[in-house]
Amino acid sequence: MRVTRAVTAGTVALLAATFALHPAQAQAQSAAPTAPYTALTINGAFGNHPLSTGTRVYDSDNATIEISGSPNGIGLSVSAADGSLWHARVQPPVGSELIAGTRYLTHDLLPNTTHGVFDISGEGRGCSMSGWFDVKEFVRDAETGLPSAVAITYQVTCSNNTVPMQGEIRFSSTVPYGATALDARSLDFGQRYVGLERQIRTVTVTSAGPLPVTLADFAIEGPQPPHFEIAATTCDGVSLDYGESCEIDVEMSRRARGQLWARLTFAEAGDPDARREVALSGIALVNPVGTYHPVGPQRVLDTRTGLGAPKAAVTDQKVVGLSVGGRGGVAVSGVSAVVLNVTVTGPTAAGHLTLYPSDSAAPTSSNLNFIKGRTIANSVTVPVGPDGKVAILHRGGSTHIIADVVGYYVGTDIRPGWNEVGDEYYMTTNERLLDTRDAYFGGPLPGDWIVYIPVDYGDDTNDRISAVAVNVTAVKPVGSGHLTSWDGVQDLPTASTLNFTPGRTVPNMAIVPLGTCPDDLGCAGMPSIAIHNGSADPTHILVDIFGLYMDTDLADGTRFRPVDPTRIVDTRTALGAPTALGPTTTATIATPASVITDDTEAVSMNITAVRPTANTHVSVWPAYFGTEPPNVSTLNPYQGETVPNAAITGIFNDGDFNIYNHAGDTHVVVDIAGTFEYLYDYAEFLPGPARAAGATARSDSGIRTPPLRLRATEAYATPAR
């Protein structure tokens, strides 16, 4: 090191140390600095004006450092190889001197007769500072009286900022110091999709001073719950000699979403003031795959009028190619599956419909079974082909086909912003919301009347519900007609949920958007669904709830994964269960491993009762809740008929669900259309029957209790308006 001194009478003497320059991020020199030491270290926040400096170390290896002095203070100037310029001014209170072993307080609002001055500025930024500085060494030149050896430790804060800047000043000093150089003052994680992949960035910390440094107190500071976490580190408690490095791996949260920020902080062991900080930022877009968008009901097919297909009845073995992409509120692309309410009317013979994606061969499963002359509907969840179409295969005579779209699930090739993500599915306790046969309701719903049914799960949950999954049943209606379920806020749709004839009990599953009860009813302002009796005559109505669709909080919801229609139960061939179900019999069904993953919590199915020997009802529910059937029904078949209905049932960890038959003997057929997957432990959510390699299976302790309603439902009926 070469030190030059120049003293000119009548001027401030300048003491300058001149060093070779090199790039700021170059490798540290192999040998540690030796006395005398000249350096400026800065440990500050990032992005807080004017302390947007992060951690910096300027010494003989990467800067020219000059010092100027007067009898009551010093000035330090740094010209760094990275192009930045830094200046520091240190003064004791007026009338005193800098004395080694003394701590001086500094405050921008208090008089300089009681407080010293410490200012540091760089890159064109500065501020009024408050804090303290410790003078560890201060030697004056015997000839000039000017400073020749200086060692100062400082910690100061801008008056408009609570984040301190801490560091060391050395000039030709015998006092060693510890310092760390960071390869990054900030980490920007960019944009990523929650639940798709891990995002990890690494900070490398290198010891850059003559003293070994031991790091401690690693933490993520910022919003709670934290947006980032320390995934791993080789730095904690490790003593680093000059030039040695360690690493800190930081992971962006896969639960949080939106604009994320935090600070990685750590300090030197035993010296909490020697604080280091790295700013963290990123944008988390919620992975939309598998989320649900309610859109209807809106009619997309009616062969009676030529809507969506030629105006003609569909004959035996004919396939209707139905375009759903971009119609009825469905997205143009990126759709994995649609939920349709499909109706046949005027069939000339018994038969069935099979729905499947347009790019696949017709499966052996069925979605809607019917007899000659009867109008019947069923809810169908069906994957969509790459051309935005689904295929409808008709077997048996000729019939008109009607389809109303009620919603769609997002596929793998759609990437909307995080505010555009759909809803996740949450299982709830299977329970009856409405039974007009109960005395409190007062009788069947009159023709052309609407019943509003409040749904109450508590304020925090209510605000997040967009739709409910229910089973709607018309019980022994007086005349022919139909029921329409919708949010009750929009105009009454032309679509129907189910069609009925006199005296016959008919159920159908429906995913119904949530609305708000009208102001003039007793449920005013409460979240609710509405059902309209489209008959001229009264009918009793049952509504059973088994699921909720809510905006995602990335914690407890499930995502839909379509699968090719797969038959898992057919008691006629002993598939899934050995024989027909007898009276008051419960069969426990094990969902095949080929259909589900370790994270499957529910399955979407079509269940069909085949030719029961007596009028009966059939119920489906999770085996986890025991073998006692709930007070709800899934199917209400009559003797000798084949009747289908859609259902979603939980399978939790064991993969099992129950089917109960109430009376007579009946064969049962179950076809799986998709599964609902839980994003547990940040497991990747990817399409296909098998989960991604390396994903962690959920333990039994991960079972979550379905939410309970807070109070019994009170339904409110009113004439259609």
Side-chain angles (χ1 to χ4, degrees):
M1 177 186 299
R2 180 170 60 89
V3 178
T4 59
R5 299 180 183 178
V7 180
T8 304
T11 67
V12 176
L14 177 67
L15 305 178
T18 305
F19 309 114
L21 305 182
H22 80 115
Q25 303 301 328
Q27 290 287 336
Q29 61 193 41
S30 58
T34 57
Y37 306 109
T38 297
L40 170 66
T41 73
I42 302 170
N43 300 307
F46 184 85
N48 295 284
H49 177 78
L51 304 180
S52 56
T53 61
T55 294
R56 303 191 184 207
V57 179
Y58 298 114
D59 58 17
S60 61
D61 198 39
N62 63 358
T64 298
I65 301 177
E66 299 176 333
I67 194 168
S68 60
S70 65
N72 68 333
I74 64 168
L76 194 76
S77 296
V78 177
S79 177
D82 61 11
S84 60
L85 299 175
W86 292 87
H87 303 279
R89 179 169 64 106
V90 185
Q91 291 180 347
V94 173
S96 62
E97 297 183 357
L98 295 174
I99 301 174
T102 304
R103 170 169 289 190
Y104 297 90
L105 300 180
T106 174
H107 200 291
D108 63 309
L109 298 179
L110 296 179
N112 57 12
T113 55
T114 58
H115 287 69
V117 173
F118 188 98
D119 286 336
I120 189 168
S121 60
E123 299 175 339
R125 292 170 290 182
C127 69
S128 298
M129 294 184 172
S130 302
W132 54 263
F133 60 91
D134 288 341
V135 178
K136 297 183 175 181
E137 181 181 26
F138 191 79
V139 179
R140 292 185 181 277
D141 185 271
E143 297 179 5
T144 64
L146 298 176
S148 59
V150 176
I152 293 174
T153 298
Y154 65 89
Q155 181 174 300
V156 290
T157 304
C158 288
S159 58
N160 62 348
N161 198 314
T162 59
V163 180
M165 173 188 284
Q166 178 273 340
E168 304 284 345
I169 292 176
R170 298 291 187 273
F171 187 83
S172 295
S173 173
T174 61
V175 180
Y177 59 94
T180 54
L182 308 184
D183 67 342
R185 296 191 294 272
S186 66
L187 296 179
D188 183 1
F189 286 70
Q191 292 188 355
R192 57 170 298 277
Y193 290 93
V194 175
L196 279 180
E197 72 284 332
R198 300 184 70 182
Q199 286 287 325
I200 295 178
R201 300 285 187 270
T202 299
V203 178
T204 300
V205 184
T206 303
S207 178
L211 291 179
V213 175
T214 302
L215 304 178
D217 302 329
F218 292 85
I220 299 292
E221 298 181 0
Q224 295 297 322
H227 292 165
F228 299 84
E229 63 184 41
I230 298 172
T233 179
T234 60
C235 295
D236 195 4
V238 176
S239 179
L240 301 177
D241 290 325
Y242 180 82
E244 294 182 341
S245 298
C246 62
E247 294 183 340
I248 308 167
D249 291 338
V250 180
E251 181 172 3
M252 184 170 161
S253 170
R254 283 179 282 173
R255 297 279 187 185
R257 53 180 167 169
Q259 185 77 47
L260 308 184
W261 66 273
R263 298 185 300 271
L264 166 67
T265 65
F266 54 96
E268 294 181 22
D271 186 4
D273 293 328
R275 166 191 172 111
R276 312 291 190 266
E277 181 171 308
V278 177
L280 310 173
S281 62
I283 299 176
L285 307 178
V286 175
N287 168 21
V289 174
T291 58
Y292 179 75
H293 289 264
V295 298
Q298 297 189 50
R299 185 146 292 173
V300 292
L301 173 67
D302 191 338
T303 61
R304 299 170 304 178
T305 63
L307 175 65
K311 183 180 178 180
V314 181
T315 56
D316 183 34
Q317 302 298 320
K318 293 297 184 181
V319 175
V320 175
L322 175 61
S323 293
V324 291
R327 299 184 62 215
V330 177
V332 175
S333 63
V335 176
S336 66
V338 291
V339 181
L340 302 170
N341 199 59
V342 182
T343 305
V344 295
T345 184
T348 61
H352 65 268
L353 300 182
T354 299
L355 281 76
Y356 53 98
S358 59
D359 62 335
S360 300
T364 58
S365 59
S366 63
N367 298 101
L368 177 57
N369 299 75
F370 49 85
I371 63 175
K372 179 180 178 180
R374 179 165 300 162
T375 297
I376 188 171
N378 195 24
S379 178
V380 180
T381 299
V382 56
V384 177
D387 57 357
K389 293 183 178 182
V390 298
I392 305 175
L393 170 62
H394 167 240
R395 291 188 175 99
S398 65
T399 186
H400 283 291
I401 304 175
I402 304 164
D404 304 313
V405 64
V406 299
Y408 67 92
Y409 293 98
V410 175
T412 59
D413 60 346
I414 191 170
R415 290 292 183 267
W418 65 277
N419 283 320
E420 301 176 47
V421 174
D423 302 308
E424 292 182 333
Y425 179 73
Y426 291 71
M427 285 173 290
T428 185
T429 304
N430 291 24
E431 58 181 331
R432 186 145 286 171
L433 292 180
L434 174 67
D435 187 341
T436 60
R437 299 170 302 182
D438 290 346
Y440 84 88
F441 191 79
L445 184 68
D448 200 29
W449 274 52
I450 299 170
V451 59
Y452 291 86
I453 309 167
V455 180
D456 186 8
Y457 285 88
D459 291 342
D460 291 342
T461 299
N462 290 345
D463 290 343
R464 296 178 49 214
I465 302 173
S466 65
V468 294
V470 295
N471 207 57
V472 180
T473 305
V475 182
K476 297 181 179 178
V478 174
S480 297
H482 65 272
L483 299 180
T484 298
S485 55
W486 86 113
D487 62 12
V489 176
Q490 307 300 321
D491 292 340
L492 177 66
T494 58
S496 61
T497 301
L498 61 84
N499 300 75
F500 53 80
T501 55
R504 300 191 65 86
T505 297
V506 180
N508 197 17
M509 176 189 153
I511 300 175
V512 187
L514 210 62
T516 304
C517 271
D519 292 340
D520 57 347
L521 297 182
C523 56
M526 291 186 63
S528 64
I529 61 174
I531 297 178
H532 174 250
N533 179 10
S535 171
D537 302 300
T539 185
H540 281 295
I541 299 173
L542 308 179
V543 178
D544 301 320
I545 190 169
F546 52 87
L548 309 173
Y549 286 86
M550 297 196 293
D551 66 329
T552 174
D553 67 359
L554 308 176
D556 291 321
T558 60
R559 307 286 188 94
F560 182 76
R561 179 176 64 89
V563 300
D564 291 335
T566 304
R567 181 153 293 174
I568 67 167
V569 176
D570 190 340
T571 59
R572 299 170 300 181
T573 62
L575 174 66
T579 61
L581 275 63
T584 64
T585 298
T586 297
T588 298
I589 307 301
T591 311
S594 59
V595 176
I596 61 176
T597 76
D598 291 334
D599 289 329
T600 302
E601 290 221 341
V603 290
S604 173
M605 67 174 66
N606 194 66
I607 179 169
T608 305
V610 181
R611 299 188 184 94
T613 60
N615 296 347
T616 186
H617 70 263
V618 175
S619 300
V620 177
W621 74 100
Y624 174 75
F625 293 121
T627 57
E628 185 67 24
N631 184 33
V632 298
S633 61
T634 306
L635 287 169
N636 300 81
Y638 284 81
Q639 180 180 353
E641 291 190 350
T642 297
V643 178
N645 196 12
I648 300 173
T649 187
I651 61 171
F652 293 100
N653 287 66
D654 54 16
D656 295 346
F657 63 92
N658 290 332
I659 303 176
Y660 168 80
N661 174 49
H662 183 66
D665 295 333
T666 185
H667 282 291
V668 177
V669 176
V670 176
D671 300 309
I672 298 296
T675 66
F676 290 89
E677 307 288 316
Y678 175 52
L679 301 184
Y680 174 74
D681 195 22
Y682 320 121
E684 293 183 355
F685 185 79
L686 299 173
R691 55 184 285 112
T696 304
R698 179 168 50 83
S699 66
D700 289 345
S701 61
I703 293 177
R704 296 172 307 288
T705 302
L708 299 174
R709 286 186 304 116
L710 298 184
R711 59 177 178 266
T713 299
E714 297 178 355
Y716 298 83
T718 181
R721 312 175 184 199

